[in-house]
Amino acid sequence: MKQQKDIIGQRKEKIQKLIESGVELFPNDYRVSHTVKDIQGLLDGQSSDLSEDTRFSVAGRIMAINRFGKSSFLRFKDRTGQLQAYIRKDKVGDDAYDLYKKMDIGDFIGMAGPMFQTKTGEWTLLADSLRLIAKAMRPLPEKFHGLKDPEKRYRQRYLDLIMNPEVRDLFVKRSKLVHAIRMFLIDRDFLEVETPMMQPLPGGADARPFKTYHHALNMELFLRIAPELYLKRLVTGGFERVFEINRNFRNEGISTQHNPEFTMLEFYQAYATYEDLMTLTEEMFQSVAKSVNGLSEVEYQGELIDFSQSWKRIPLLDSLEQIAGVDPALFENKEKLMNFGLSKGIPFGDQARESVGIGKIMTKLFDILVEPKLIQPTFITGYPVEVSPLSRRNRENPDLTDRFELFIAGREIANGFSELNDPEDQKNRFLRQLDTKEEGDETPEMIDEDYIRALEYGMPPTAGEGIGIDRLAMLLTNSASIRDVILFPHMKHSEKS
RNA sequence: GGGUCGUUAACUCAGUCGGUAGAGUAUCUGCCUUUUAAGCAGAGAGUCGCGCGUUCGAGCCGCGCACGACCCA
């Protein structure tokens, strides 16, 4: 007989013995009367229900075992928390105790019995019956150090969630965050909608899309890079306040700030302006931060971020002047502005000299010289038309738009603007975008004619905004990497087992 | 794309000068009916990420590759 000596092999031998003795490894008829939290609630109230006559039926995963000869302590957890149980041979009987001796850390166990206090005063379930509920074939990571290897944590998130309670708490917070946003908008009469993830033309942003193919329709489709153009069709259709919280897909690099699929909130409000949305955003963040953390401030990577006051609103050009030290005279001259950037060590691609206008130079300077310095929540307003193809022109300066971006902790968190609802202007801007399309861009040489047509039917004056949910989640959970707030971040295929 | 670091038992990690692969936890056996990372005695467990090279000899040195982390672009 070949002896398997690795842990999984040992475990499988034990399982074989359990099967031979007639134990069901994966029953599904166990009924739970109380969660751990239910019991702890009774303990806090020192309820009379804790008398010896009251039995609790609980279930969960075994996390630790202290075995003695004919008795044993174990710690198990369910979705609500951890609890200790005490198993005595003379309480559960010989057969059950033999079964228990073959059970392992990681197994799911069901137990029933009253609560009692140990010598040290810890409330503990005194099991008078127990059952195996689900067998674990693989051992859990070590109890003290847990699972630390970041690669394994991302690739096997279930293990990360079992072993690291703070990870579990983080994703609970993320869920609360999304819920709080939803409630905030619904309270303000916004309608939640779902628009296509697969689009014949990827619009609403400037990014490389994922391409796919629908065989029955015999057509190429793109995973959406933004829902914007569909949501505005809905505003045209009479849904004057809409929002969508859903995934966008961008076929670009992966980093601590970028995942190929990420979650975006977009919302649109008719008869509002970008200035209204800035105020709404302040209210939303204050409300959401309180729902998630109980505070309207949060510590992020050593900086205390305060959402409670109203936030600075700085025009883009002023920010370049005040924060990056750019001489405003340079704003009139693309060459001189670019030379200023080069003197600061900012590389511009070769084609920047030819096809790109001064607006893109300005935003490039901003990205490098200003953005990292915007730690407290700050709205930057007045973006050049050139980089804002869907935004309404500013009344006083038609080269700029009524648009803002929100920066917190040196990062872009939100982008909003008064929407361009003039179909002629919109069509011309789409056409101009086609002219400046970069080489290698696989997006079809087409503009979204139906979106133009929708605008031609008339869209009310509207303001809209997108907020990166992952980045907001990072902020509210003090996470340095986007992977820490995405349950299953994308990884390369691994050859390791 | 570039740089730095990492990959050793199920997990967390040591591994000196290139000379038989180590610890703790976990696992297995025995003892133990109030433990708290329980205790005591014993045992088993390794494709040292993968490949090539240098060498009498490579976990360790060199080259290449894979995957990951961080920084830079």
Side-chain angles (χ1 to χ4, degrees):
Chain A
M1 173 176 131
K2 189 188 168 193
Q3 203 181 2
Q4 281 194 291
K5 292 189 170 169
D6 63 291
I7 288 188
I8 295 169
Q10 282 179 339
R11 187 83 57 109
K12 282 183 177 163
E13 282 178 11
K14 225 160 43 165
I15 288 165
Q16 194 55 41
K17 283 180 192 160
L18 284 174
I19 292 170
E20 284 164 11
S21 62
V23 173
E24 201 180 345
L25 298 184
F26 302 103
N28 72 341
D29 60 340
Y30 193 81
R31 290 294 170 262
V32 174
S33 70
H34 291 76
T35 65
V36 168
K37 197 176 173 188
D38 291 336
I39 293 172
Q40 282 164 346
L42 294 174
L43 295 174
D44 289 343
Q46 287 294 319
S47 160
S48 57
D49 288 348
L50 289 170
S51 75
E52 285 174 27
D53 300 334
T54 313
R55 292 173 79 256
F56 300 89
S57 176
V58 298
R61 188 191 290 277
I62 300 174
M63 297 304 293
I65 298 179
N66 281 352
R67 292 183 199 274
F68 298 85
K70 298 181 182 64
S71 76
S72 173
F73 285 93
L74 68 88
R75 199 164 287 280
F76 72 98
K77 74 174 180 188
D78 66 10
R79 67 182 183 282
T80 66
Q82 287 206 21
L83 189 70
Q84 179 170 263
Y86 187 46
I87 316 275
R88 294 170 56 127
K89 192 173 185 178
D90 58 4
K91 287 277 182 188
V92 298
D94 292 357
D95 290 348
Y97 203 76
D98 285 345
L99 164 64
Y100 173 70
K101 281 202 284 193
K102 292 196 182 68
M103 288 172 64
D104 296 295
I105 292 170
D107 289 357
F108 284 85
I109 189 170
M111 290 167 291
M115 296 296 294
F116 79 108
Q117 278 180 294
T118 64
K119 270 202 264 190
T120 58
E122 179 169 350
W123 280 101
T124 301
L125 183 94
L126 180 61
D128 54 36
S129 70
L130 67 88
R131 277 186 71 185
L132 174 64
I133 292 184
K135 186 66 198 163
M137 305 260 177
R138 293 173 181 269
L140 289 178
E142 187 229 343
K143 60 187 168 189
F144 191 58
H145 297 94
L147 182 67
K148 286 192 170 168
D149 178 4
E151 186 173 353
K152 190 154 272 193
R153 287 185 45 223
Y154 297 143
R155 288 188 194 277
Q156 294 179 255
R157 183 69 91 181
Y158 43 90
L159 275 185
D160 193 23
L161 290 167
I162 293 168
M163 298 310 297
N164 298 317
E166 69 281 5
V167 173
R168 183 193 168 90
D169 293 345
L170 187 153
F171 285 104
V172 170
K173 274 192 181 180
R174 180 178 171 133
S175 179
K176 281 186 183 164
L177 157 67
V178 173
H179 181 76
I181 289 174
R182 202 167 252 134
M183 291 304 107
F184 180 90
L185 290 169
I186 288 171
D187 278 351
R188 284 161 182 74
D189 205 25
F190 283 80
L191 182 75
E192 182 167 16
V193 296
E194 292 171 271
T195 65
M197 312 289 271
M198 294 193 290
Q199 304 178 346
L201 274 175
D206 181 20
R208 186 176 172 193
F210 287 91
K211 210 190 281 187
T212 187
Y213 194 80
H214 193 296
H215 294 287
L217 295 179
N218 193 25
M219 71 186 290
E220 192 170 58
L221 287 168
F222 298 87
L223 300 190
R224 75 181 193 190
I225 55 175
E228 173 153 0
L229 301 185
Y230 287 89
L231 290 169
K232 284 192 283 195
R233 282 172 169 93
L234 295 179
V235 176
T236 293
F239 287 132
E240 294 176 344
R241 297 183 177 198
V242 291
F243 75 100
E244 179 166 7
I245 299 173
N246 224 323
R247 227 65 67 76
N248 290 346
F249 306 85
R250 297 186 183 175
N251 203 343
E252 294 173 351
I254 295 183
S255 75
T256 53
Q257 309 298 317
H258 299 89
N259 197 57
E261 54 180 300
F262 61 99
T263 303
M264 188 87 153
L265 160 68
E266 283 202 12
F267 59 97
Y268 292 82
Q269 180 176 348
Y271 313 110
T273 67
Y274 76 120
E275 290 179 310
D276 298 322
L277 291 196
M278 285 191 273
T279 303
L280 186 78
T281 303
E282 290 171 349
E283 291 171 7
M284 180 192 289
F285 276 46
Q286 285 161 21
S287 160
V288 164
K290 270 196 180 140
S291 297
V292 173
N293 286 326
L295 295 168
S296 58
E297 58 183 28
V298 65
E299 189 184 325
Y300 186 75
Q301 307 292 303
E303 302 273 4
L304 195 65
I305 309 288
D306 186 1
F307 296 123
S308 65
Q309 301 144 20
S310 65
W311 308 338
K312 275 191 203 157
R313 302 179 182 188
I314 310 174
L316 178 73
L317 296 185
D318 291 2
S319 80
L320 283 171
E321 184 186 344
Q322 292 163 17
I323 297 173
V326 182
D327 180 353
L330 298 181
F331 295 150
E332 308 300 321
N333 185 316
K334 178 184 157 190
E335 285 302 320
K336 285 184 181 170
L337 190 63
M338 191 144 54
N339 286 335
F340 172 84
L342 290 168
S343 78
K344 294 280 183 181
I346 298 171
F348 295 100
D350 290 340
Q351 62 185 8
R353 296 185 176 280
E354 303 298 323
S355 61
V356 165
I358 195 164
K360 282 202 177 160
I361 306 294
M362 288 171 176
T363 49
K364 180 94 177 172
L365 288 176
F366 174 85
D367 288 349
I368 293 172
L369 299 176
V370 180
E371 180 172 332
K373 295 182 177 167
L374 301 176
I375 304 301
Q376 293 305 319
T378 307
F379 293 110
I380 298 295
T381 62
Y383 281 74
V385 169
E386 186 191 349
V387 296
S388 314
L390 302 165
S391 308
R392 182 187 192 90
R393 287 179 198 270
N394 182 266
R395 213 173 263 281
E396 278 96 51
N397 183 349
D399 292 334
L400 299 180
T401 58
D402 284 347
R403 174 182 171 193
F404 66 86
E405 289 195 358
L406 169 64
F407 296 88
I408 304 176
R411 289 185 200 138
E412 182 193 340
I413 300 289
N415 175 26
F417 40 87
S418 297
E419 303 295 338
L420 175 58
N421 61 347
D422 174 343
E424 289 298 321
D425 192 353
Q426 184 66 79
K427 184 162 191 174
N428 289 333
R429 294 212 218 160
F430 279 161
L431 290 170
R432 180 149 193 277
Q433 268 190 308
L434 278 188
D435 288 346
T436 58
K437 215 171 83 157
E438 289 179 21
E439 213 169 308
D441 187 337
E442 293 173 336
T443 311
E445 297 266 350
M446 290 176 356
I447 64 171
D448 192 336
E449 296 286 358
D450 180 65
Y451 178 67
I452 301 293
R453 179 166 57 192
L455 293 185
E456 285 169 352
Y457 279 98
M459 182 174 85
T462 300
E465 180 174 347
I467 296 177
I469 297 299
D470 308 281
R471 289 188 179 179
L472 184 52
M474 287 169 69
L475 202 58
L476 294 181
T477 59
N478 195 13
S479 300
S481 170
I482 196 169
R483 288 181 205 93
D484 292 326
V485 300
I486 292 176
L487 281 166
F488 299 101
H490 282 283
M491 307 282 279
K492 281 198 193 177
H493 199 271
S494 169
E495 290 176 14
K496 293 181 200 174
S497 60

